[in-house]
Amino acid sequence: MMRRSIAVLAAFAMGVALAACTAKSDQALPGSGSPVPTASAEPLLTCDDLVDMADVVDALTGSDGVAPTPVPATRVTTDLRDLVNEAAGGLTCSWRVGEPPFNASDAPSPESRLAYLIIELLPGSDGQTQDDAPNSGTRLGVDEIDGHPVWEDCADGGCWTEATVDEVKVVVTLTFPYWLQGWSRYGEMTADDLLPKTRPVVASTLEAIADAPAERTEWPSIGAVSDGSTCDSAVDPVAIASALGLPEVVWNEHRYDAESPQARVGLYECWQAGANDVSVTVGAGLAPVVAEMATEPDNARAFERVTLEGASQGDIALRSCATDAPRCSVLFTLGVDAYGVGSTIDAVAAAEAIIARSS
């Protein structure tokens, strides 16, 4: 569950101003606790308005039937695209049970009994599924919850429910490792057992949105940050190739569906597949997202803080390397912008090449 500190809010505001974005200047970034509304407006919906903690506990109770104590925590990830829902104008609520990962690049231990319950809300939706929504599991037959059409799915990473109410996209995710192997906290429970566990959370979230005036879901955003750049112009392939000792780097470019939070903030990805694997995610104006992520306890233990050559004072860099594979990831800020780099050769060298080319 995200809570915005005063320092991060200040950084966010500075980033918006410098990037010439169009955020709402009279509102703080949304969080799970107490967003700051305008004096004349209805208070923005918070996580406390969406769900009863008893339903959160029930959803996260495993096959042993022992009620856990959920901890507000965002899911540990090396992927910048997973972190932008609130920057895009949404609200994210997240709770963890079990032991958090020791390494962001490694799969958690089966003994960790790790699970997250995540609620993501994003206004301005036409009801279409995001381009990276779950689509490879078992779609089950529940067509509505409390009169609202929903779409449910389970796969090896967990179970999802998606719906749209009053143009607000709702995604409720129960995510946990090792389900198909039977090693998760849910043991041998099937999709028919798991999806009903989250339905009270879905139902109360949909009801809260349906009952709220539209202005209560007008969470601030940084707006789309787009300068027309492409992978070749924003991440010089010649500089990356030189840094990694490669004869060349040829970028493939991925842009997100317009409905997604990634597209709303202008995020895009550049990658070269194969033996010389390297990828770069470009997040203009998203430095505050990485800055806040770095302060959260789960991420502080799952990443190593590093200093990148050429970085300015105040910039942040987080590294994570897989234990049993050569790939490393680096999330770093560069002024008001953020980047995510992954490489099987040298992610730090690639990140430093990006910094060098920006100066």
Side-chain angles (χ1 to χ4, degrees), residues 145-156:
I145 293 177
D146 288 355
H148 299 286
V150 301
W151 186 83
E152 293 182 322
D153 192 27
C154 286
D156 193 27

Side-chain angles (χ1 to χ4, degrees), residues 46-219:
T46 71
C47 299
D48 291 339
D49 299 317
L50 303 181
V51 64
D52 191 292
M53 277 305 298
D55 291 333
V56 174
V57 171
D58 287 346
L60 290 168
T61 297
S63 56
D64 60 8
V66 177
T69 302
V71 177
T74 55
R75 183 169 66 89
V76 171
T77 178
T78 61
D79 202 332
L80 189 58
R81 67 178 178 176
D82 295 333
L83 302 171
V84 300
N85 187 64
E86 288 195 345
L91 174 66
T92 300
C93 313
S94 179
W95 299 266
R96 171 183 54 76
V97 294
E99 190 75 14
F102 282 100
N103 185 331
S105 294
D106 286 346
S109 164
E111 290 77 27
S112 69
R113 294 179 57 77
L114 178 68
Y116 293 92
L117 179 68
I118 305 167
I119 304 171
E120 294 174 294
L121 310 182
L122 188 65
S125 173
D126 63 5
Q128 298 298 309
T129 301
Q130 296 175 15
D131 65 344
D132 57 349
N135 57 16
S136 59
T138 303
R139 183 173 180 180
L140 301 185
V142 175
D143 293 321
E144 64 177 41
I145 293 177
D146 288 355
H148 299 286
V150 301
W151 186 83
E152 293 182 322
D153 192 27
C154 286
D156 193 27
C159 295
W160 300 259
T161 302
E162 297 188 6
T164 301
V165 57
D166 294 342
E167 297 186 352
V168 177
K169 181 69 171 289
V170 177
V171 181
V172 175
T173 307
L174 182 62
T175 180
F176 48 92
Y178 307 116
W179 174 44
L180 294 184
Q181 294 92 335
W183 303 339
S184 77
R185 70 182 295 107
Y186 296 100
E188 300 297 330
M189 295 176 74
T190 68
D192 289 312
D193 302 317
L194 289 165
L195 285 168
K197 293 175 73 64
T198 61
R199 286 175 191 151
V201 173
V202 176
S204 64
T205 299
L206 297 178
E207 180 181 9
I209 296 168
D211 291 347
E215 58 263 31
R216 296 198 67 192
T217 62
E218 293 177 352
W219 301 287

